[in-house]
DNA sequence: AGGAAACCACTCTAGACAGCATGTC
DNA sequence: CTAGAGTGGTTTCCT
């Protein structure tokens, strides 16, 4: 179908033409003819990269142009929010204002209410709902991207609750991967269902086993090893994406592959790759990455720092990096297609032992094969070492993906959501809560809510016992300040309870080790693990810091579960403590065997939790002194600095390293910097022209610095050519 | 006795969301 | 039951 024939405003067609879209893909056509343009709900279950976003965009904009109001587009990842936000800004040309809302970024200067399209993560939107933002009532369309994540254990309930709140109030458009029970989901959503296996790039799937690739169509190709599948792709001028189930394996495999891939590169490529490798900040993880990069191969997993991740993604897309070996980070994340996808593992370790990786996930990985516009087809190959290739084909390739199951009844999810209903949505009785539950996917799927009723009552008891809510004489459940604050802070009620339980100790003797240990004992903290060999060192450290730790001695009662939890939290506490004492990232990586990406996530979460601890402390009647102490600690965690650097952290382009350099050079506050000459600041290690300009601008002084380009910077290379 | 190879038991394992505070008919 | 790489220590075997 041609764009011309579409029954939408000329404005929409204008933007589509600008993007170079003249023709719609068959599933797009089917979806747009389903009634979604007339305002009906829609569930689209089609493969990745077959144009789901465009369907939602057209429907969204169409409704906005027809009825006004707002559209909200929900994504599962912050990185994805950024990607969609940039894409959607195309619509600004026809007067639609686009915003993004995630935990660490809100479209600045303006209130979200001024925008027409808001891209948000699920949790952020849930939080906005809880805060009762007035513009919510104007939401006419809600798009939920990757709606199959409704079945994910830890985050699925959020989507389910958002949808339950919005059903009937806004048009719902769900975009899903292929799932086992799309009909059931569509029925719950009261949506038209559009399913298709169509892809813009043909996909050929197969299994590699003992020197042979057996394709789904029965054909067979010979390769001496799975690595040859990679080399073959590179030789043909294409790229390969290898999925593995362990970080360590991703790194090792990348290094291994890079040796041979290196010999297939041109001199120009080698030079650029070397440049790329040199640009990395120094730490153990990056050293490995740099080495692999020089052979045109990279690994990609959550241990990489943000910059490194983006660097790998961009250069892989641009074709400079030929091969990426990744853990599932790349499977559901941002768009990184490759001609050939190789899946090395179909098993994964979990807390219950080894588990099969779900069909849904493997199919999403395979879906990354084939780059639209570059390849006429993509290839996805599962490597099977022990299993019968026929079985693998029937299970993962011909097999049906898993059904989606509601995760609402999961205790921690339910606890948070029940509290939110009472504290932020004014639900007052068990009856009202059950009426809400009746409208969820959980109830739709289970047909009865009997089993969940008992759980809800248990949760209510927990909430009352811990003073989140109370029962009035008229048998109404009303929220108490602790409950309201907890729901709005978006922390698990159990986290708030931990804060409350330790409050009296914190109040008596506030200290970073003890406070970090407390936040690390909450269910909201990122889990950090320690190896058996680390334990004795942790024990030693604990005994030397014992008087600063609030929690009970881990060996007081014989409880291996508590012991593990205690030392995990203790390790987290030591890492954060090192961080705020300006221990370098490389040293933390070395000492605690965590990676840069882990540190970022830890720090990010810790900052949020310390803020939350401060807010809960306020409710518990903390002194101003304690609140100030916690605020300082929060800032220190945010930037990873000692107390004396706090004033410098407001400067633009100044992080922990530059702040320390300034301080040591005698620039301890704004006044001393304002009196300095640019030349004086430039002499300081790590401070360049751009930083000095930004600093002075912040202090109200315009300075322009003309500088000779430094070695190994982009300018340096640009000038050289 | 010395040293290398073979063997065995044991350890370890993916990812990533959330606060804040806005303004007007 | 269902994986596979790495590690570290011990045994075995050969000279």
């Amino acid at each position: 179908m041609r764009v011309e024939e579409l029954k939408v405003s000329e404005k929409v067609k204008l933007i589509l033409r600008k993007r170079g879209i003249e023709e719609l893909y068959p599933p797009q056509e089917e979806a747009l003819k389903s009634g979604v343009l007339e305002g009906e709900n829609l569930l689209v279950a089609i493969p990745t990269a077959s144009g789901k976003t465009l369907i939602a965009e057209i429907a969204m904009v169409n409704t906005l142009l027809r009825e006004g109001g707002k559209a909200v587009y929900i994504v599962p990842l912050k990185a994805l929010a950024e990607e969609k936000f940039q894409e959607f800004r195309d619509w600004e040309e026809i007067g639609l204002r686009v915003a993004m809302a995630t935990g660490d970024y809100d479209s600045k200067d303006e209130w979200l209410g001024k925008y027409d399209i808001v891209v948000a993560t699920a949790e952020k939107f849930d939080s906005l709902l809880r805060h009762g933002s007035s513009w919510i009532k104007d939401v006419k369309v809600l798009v939920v991207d990757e709606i199959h994540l409704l079945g994910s254990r830890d985050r699925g309930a959020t989507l389910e609750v958002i949808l339950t709140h919005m059903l009937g109030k806004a048009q719902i458009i769900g975009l899903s991967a292929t799932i086992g029970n799309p009909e059931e989901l569509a029925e719950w959503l009261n949506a038209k269902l559009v399913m298709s296996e169509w892809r813009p790039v043909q996909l050929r799937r197969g299994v590699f086993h003992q020197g042979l690739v057996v394709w789904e169509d029965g054909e067979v190709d010979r390769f001496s090893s799975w690595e040859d599948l990679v080399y073959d792709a590179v030789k043909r001028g294409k790229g390969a994406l290898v999925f593995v189930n362990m970080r360590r394996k991703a790194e090792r495999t990348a290094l291994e592959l890079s040796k041979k891939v290196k010999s297939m590169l041109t001199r120009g490529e080698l030079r650029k790759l070397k440049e790329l490798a040199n640009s990395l900040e120094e730490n153990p993880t990056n050293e490995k990455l740099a080495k692999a990069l020089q052979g045109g191969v990279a690994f990609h997993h959550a241990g990489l720092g943000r910059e490194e991740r983006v660097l790998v993604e961009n250069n892989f897309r641009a074709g400079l990096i030929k091969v990426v070996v990744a853990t599932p980070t790349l499977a559901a994340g941002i768009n990184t297609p490759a001609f050939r996808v190789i899946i090395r593992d179909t098993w994964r370790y979990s807390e219950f032992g080894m588990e099969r990786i779900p069909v849904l996930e493997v199919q999403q990985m395979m879906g990354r094969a084939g780059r639209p516009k570059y390849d006429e087809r993509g290839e996805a190959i599962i490597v099977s070492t022990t299993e019968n290739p026929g079985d693998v084909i029937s299970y993962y390739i011909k097999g049906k993906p898993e059904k989606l199951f509601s995760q609402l009844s999961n205790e921690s999810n339910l606890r948070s959501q029940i509290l939110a209903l009472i504290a932020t949505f004014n639900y007052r009785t068990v009856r009202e809560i059950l009426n809400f539950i009746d409208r969820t996917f959980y109830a739709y799927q289970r047909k009865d809510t009997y089993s969940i009723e008992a759980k809800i009552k248990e949760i209510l008891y927990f909430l009352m016992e811990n003073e989140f809510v109370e029962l009035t004489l008229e048998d109404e459940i009303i929220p108490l300040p602790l409950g309201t604050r907890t729901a709005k802070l978006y922390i698990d009620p159990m986290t708030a309870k931990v804060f409350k339980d330790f409050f009296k100790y914190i109040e008596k003797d506030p200290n970073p080790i003890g406070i970090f240990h407390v936040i690390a004992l909450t269910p909201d903290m990122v889990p950090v693990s320690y190896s058996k060999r680390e334990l004795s060192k942790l024990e030693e450290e604990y005994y030397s810091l014992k008087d600063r730790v609030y929690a009970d001695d881990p060996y007081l009662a014989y409880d291996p579960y508590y012991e593990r939890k205690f030392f995990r939290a203790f390790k987290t506490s030591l890492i954060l403590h090192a961080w705020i004492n300006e221990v370098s990232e490389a040293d933390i990586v070395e000492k605690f065997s965590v990676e840069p990406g882990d540190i970022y996530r830890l720090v990010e979460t810790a900052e949020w939790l310390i803020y939350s601890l401060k807010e809960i402390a306020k409710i518990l009647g903390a002194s101003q002194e304690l609140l100030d102490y916690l605020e300082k600690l929060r800032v220190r965690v945010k930037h990873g600095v000692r107390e004396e650097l706090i004033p410098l952290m407001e400067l633009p382009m100044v992080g922990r390293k530059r702040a320390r350099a300034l301080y040591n050079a005698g620039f301890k506050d704004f006044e001393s910097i304002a009196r300095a000459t640019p030349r004086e600041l430039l002499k300081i290690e790590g401070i360049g022209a751009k930083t000095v300009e930004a600093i002075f601008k912040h202090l109200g002084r315009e300075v322009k610095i003309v500088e000779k380009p430094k070695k190994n910077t982009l300018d340096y290379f640009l000038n050289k050519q």
Side-chain angles (χ1 to χ4, degrees):
Chain A
M1 182 194 199
R2 298 194 56 77
V3 165
E4 293 311 317
E5 304 162 41
L6 212 54
K7 281 188 220 133
V8 294
S9 146
E10 277 307 312
K11 286 182 177 178
V12 176
K13 293 178 186 171
L14 174 79
I15 300 298
L16 295 182
R17 268 197 299 272
K18 281 221 165 175
R19 283 187 181 172
I21 300 168
E22 299 286 347
E23 193 94 23
L24 291 174
Y25 296 151
Q28 291 175 332
E29 177 184 346
E30 193 189 338
L32 290 171
K33 282 181 175 167
S34 70
V36 74
L37 295 178
E38 285 73 50
E40 284 187 59
N41 292 354
L42 172 68
L43 176 65
V44 189
I46 56 179
T48 337
S50 46
K52 278 189 283 224
T53 308
L54 191 70
I55 298 171
E57 269 184 288
I58 295 173
M60 206 160 66
V61 172
N62 173 65
T63 304
L64 290 180
L65 292 177
R66 260 185 8 178
E67 301 178 29
K70 290 176 196 313
V72 173
Y73 192 99
I74 304 288
V75 290
L77 270 71
K78 287 191 277 193
L80 233 37
E82 173 71 34
E83 195 181 88
K84 298 297 175 199
F85 172 61
Q86 295 304 344
E87 264 178 70
F88 294 173
R89 295 189 75 177
D90 287 353
W91 300 103
E92 285 178 349
E93 203 180 322
I94 57 165
L96 294 172
R97 290 151 300 184
V98 186
M100 173 168 86
T102 66
D104 49 31
Y105 181 87
D106 265 6
S107 291
K108 30 181 189 294
D109 10 87
E110 309 275 356
W111 192 43
L112 285 173
K114 292 197 170 176
Y115 295 88
D116 303 292
I117 301 174
V118 177
V119 183
T121 53
E123 287 76 9
K124 183 64 181 190
F125 185 64
D126 189 17
S127 165
L128 289 165
L129 286 175
R130 291 184 186 188
H131 280 84
S133 308
S134 61
W135 55 270
I136 299 288
K137 64 177 185 322
D138 303 327
V139 175
K140 291 280 194 309
V141 195
L142 179 73
V143 181
V144 177
D145 201 352
E146 315 279 350
I147 197 172
H148 55 271
L149 289 173
L150 192 98
S152 108
R153 204 186 127 78
D154 45 332
R155 294 178 61 202
T158 312
L159 283 182
E160 188 171 341
V161 167
I162 293 171
L163 285 162
T164 307
H165 279 303
M166 299 304 287
L167 268 173
K169 292 186 185 151
Q171 181 185 17
I172 308 287
I173 301 172
L175 309 178
S176 173
T178 319
I179 53 171
N181 52 346
E183 298 84 4
E184 198 176 17
L185 185 60
E187 278 166 30
W188 173 60
L189 291 171
N190 188 23
K192 285 273 173 57
L193 174 62
V194 172
M195 285 195 292
S196 166
E197 290 299 318
W198 188 92
R199 289 173 42 105
V201 189
Q202 202 199 324
L203 176 63
R204 196 179 187 213
R205 297 169 298 183
V207 176
F208 176 82
H209 181 73
Q210 294 184 352
L212 294 180
V213 173
V214 180
W215 297 102
E216 55 187 318
D217 52 27
E219 274 187 56
V220 175
D221 279 327
R222 183 166 289 281
F223 286 92
S224 58
S225 65
W226 76 263
E227 287 94 334
D228 275 349
L229 288 163
V230 174
Y231 304 140
D232 172 69
V234 179
K235 268 183 217 148
R236 287 156 63 177
K238 312 210 169 201
L241 180 53
V242 183
F243 283 107
V244 295
N245 64 358
M246 271 183 272
R247 286 185 189 184
R248 210 173 45 184
K249 204 160 157 185
E251 294 174 5
R252 207 186 49 81
T253 310
L255 279 172
E256 202 75 10
L257 292 172
S258 79
K259 287 179 198 158
K260 195 151 174 188
V261 172
K262 191 170 189 173
S263 65
M264 303 172 187
L265 303 171
T266 67
R267 292 184 62 179
E269 285 173 330
L270 285 168
R271 206 197 66 232
K272 280 192 220 158
L273 284 163
K274 181 135 200 155
E275 200 178 301
L276 217 57
N278 288 338
S279 74
L280 298 180
E281 218 171 292
E282 280 177 39
N283 65 51
T285 304
N286 286 359
E287 258 164 55
K288 286 178 248 172
L289 180 61
K291 206 166 167 201
L293 274 177
Q294 295 189 41
V297 183
F299 53 84
H300 189 285
H301 59 60
L304 285 183
R306 290 168 207 268
E307 280 179 39
E308 287 75 18
R309 262 166 91 156
V310 175
L311 178 140
V312 170
E313 290 156 11
N314 290 345
N315 287 288
F316 183 51
R317 231 172 328 198
L320 181 57
I321 295 173
K322 307 295 172 194
V323 183
V324 170
V325 188
T327 56
T329 29
L330 274 188
I334 54 117
N335 187 27
T336 44
F339 165 66
R340 191 171 274 165
V341 168
I342 295 160
I343 296 163
R344 287 268 9 240
D345 302 291
T346 46
W347 291 88
R348 173 197 298 156
Y349 176 82
S350 82
E351 53 179 320
F352 312 109
M354 293 308 292
E355 276 180 350
R356 266 201 178 286
I357 298 176
V359 177
L360 183 76
E361 275 181 54
V362 170
Q363 291 192 346
Q364 280 215 301
M365 292 183 216
M366 294 196 286
R368 298 268 116 153
R371 296 163 306 165
K373 290 179 198 158
Y374 294 101
D375 305 321
E376 57 187 61
R377 67 147 198 275
E379 296 181 347
I381 300 129
I382 302 174
V383 178
S384 132
T385 32
T386 54
E387 283 172 286
N388 176 350
D391 291 349
V392 176
I393 291 191
S394 58
Y395 190 81
Y396 281 115
I397 296 178
K398 310 267 197 226
K400 211 174 164 189
E402 292 76 10
K403 282 186 181 177
L404 239 54
F405 284 106
S406 167
Q407 299 297 322
L408 189 65
S409 62
N410 168 294
E411 194 178 314
S412 133
N413 294 336
L414 195 60
R415 197 165 50 215
S416 301
Q417 296 298 348
I418 296 294
L419 174 62
L421 287 182
I422 300 164
T424 63
F425 297 106
N426 298 318
Y427 283 62
R428 289 289 170 265
T429 61
V430 177
R431 190 67 258 151
E432 284 174 25
I433 292 170
L434 287 174
N435 282 342
F436 180 86
I437 299 289
D438 267 335
R439 305 193 335 254
T440 62
F441 186 56
Y442 178 91
Y444 187 84
Q445 202 166 35
R446 303 293 184 92
K447 309 291 180 225
D448 76 88
T449 52
Y450 182 76
S451 58
I452 208 170
E453 263 187 68
K455 279 189 186 173
I456 291 173
K457 283 181 182 150
E458 230 170 86
I459 286 168
L460 285 175
Y461 184 73
F462 168 88
L463 294 175
M464 283 191 265
E465 197 183 21
N466 291 292
E467 296 172 312
F468 290 99
V469 301
E470 72 179 0
L471 210 55
T472 65
L473 294 173
E474 291 80 36
D475 262 2
E476 282 205 325
I477 311 163
I478 57 165
L480 293 171
L482 179 67
T484 309
R485 204 70 200 92
T486 298
K488 291 197 176 176
L489 285 167
Y490 215 80
I491 53 177
D492 188 325
M494 196 55 89
T495 294
K497 177 178 155 53
V498 173
F499 289 167
K500 198 172 148 224
D501 290 347
F502 283 105
F503 179 64
K504 52 179 184 288
Y505 305 111
I506 297 173
E507 200 175 28
K508 212 180 336 168
D509 167 36
N511 79 80
I513 289 278
I515 291 171
F516 293 154
H517 193 229
V518 168
I519 63 168
L521 283 170
T522 69
D524 278 313
M525 181 50 98
V526 200
V528 167
S529 60
Y530 60 87
S531 64
K532 286 216 163 129
R533 277 177 303 177
E534 273 179 284
L535 183 59
S536 58
K537 257 193 272 172
L538 287 173
E539 278 173 330
E540 213 174 285
E541 290 255 33
Y542 166 61
Y543 286 114
S544 75
L545 296 166
K546 201 167 190 282
D547 53 333
R548 297 203 222 164
V549 176
Y550 313 123
D552 289 340
D553 188 300
Y555 298 117
L556 220 59
Y558 180 73
D559 179 357
Y561 178 77
Y562 176 65
E563 192 184 308
R564 216 167 69 115
K565 185 172 152 180
F566 180 98
F567 281 113
R568 283 181 158 196
F570 187 66
K571 178 173 170 181
T572 308
S573 173
L574 292 180
I575 295 171
L576 289 169
H577 193 247
W579 171 251
I580 62 165
N581 283 297
E582 297 176 41
V583 176
S584 75
E585 201 180 82
D587 286 346
I588 295 178
V589 168
E590 195 101 39
K591 191 171 169 206
F592 297 99
S593 49
V594 289
E595 299 191 87
D598 303 310
I599 302 177
Y600 297 148
R601 256 189 318 286
L602 214 65
V603 163
E604 197 178 30
T605 312
E607 198 220 327
W608 163 53
L609 288 176
I610 290 178
Y611 177 84
S612 302
L613 172 61
K614 187 184 87 182
E615 292 298 304
I616 297 298
K618 240 185 234 175
I619 285 165
L620 299 174
S623 65
Q624 191 56 45
E625 206 186 337
L626 178 63
L627 296 178
D628 292 344
Y629 182 88
L630 290 172
E631 173 58 18
K632 264 188 207 155
L633 195 59
R634 184 190 70 81
V635 178
R636 286 184 64 192
V637 168
K638 180 171 184 186
H639 301 289
V641 296
R642 291 209 171 91
E643 198 169 332
E644 68 256 29
L645 295 190
I646 291 179
L648 296 178
M649 299 319 304
E650 279 174 42
L651 292 170
M653 294 189 62
V654 174
R656 66 199 301 234
K657 285 188 197 156
R658 285 178 180 148
R660 177 47 66 190
L662 281 166
Y663 189 91
N664 288 350
F667 301 104
K668 303 187 176 183
D669 47 38
F670 280 18
E671 285 105 75
S672 58
I673 294 170
R675 280 199 305 269
T677 64
R679 195 169 294 277
E680 276 178 293
L681 295 187
L682 279 169
K683 271 193 294 193
I684 301 168
E685 177 76 25
I687 295 188
K690 286 224 172 77
T691 314
V692 174
E693 280 171 16
I695 289 176
F696 279 124
K697 191 171 180 195
H698 184 79
L699 300 175
R701 231 170 102 183
E702 284 295 338
V703 182
K704 194 87 202 137
I705 294 162
V706 186
E707 201 196 14
K708 270 192 287 182
K710 265 203 215 153
K711 271 208 164 183
N712 291 333
T713 62
L714 185 61
D715 288 340
Y716 177 72
F717 287 105
L718 289 176
N719 282 4
K720 234 175 116 178
Q721 278 150 28

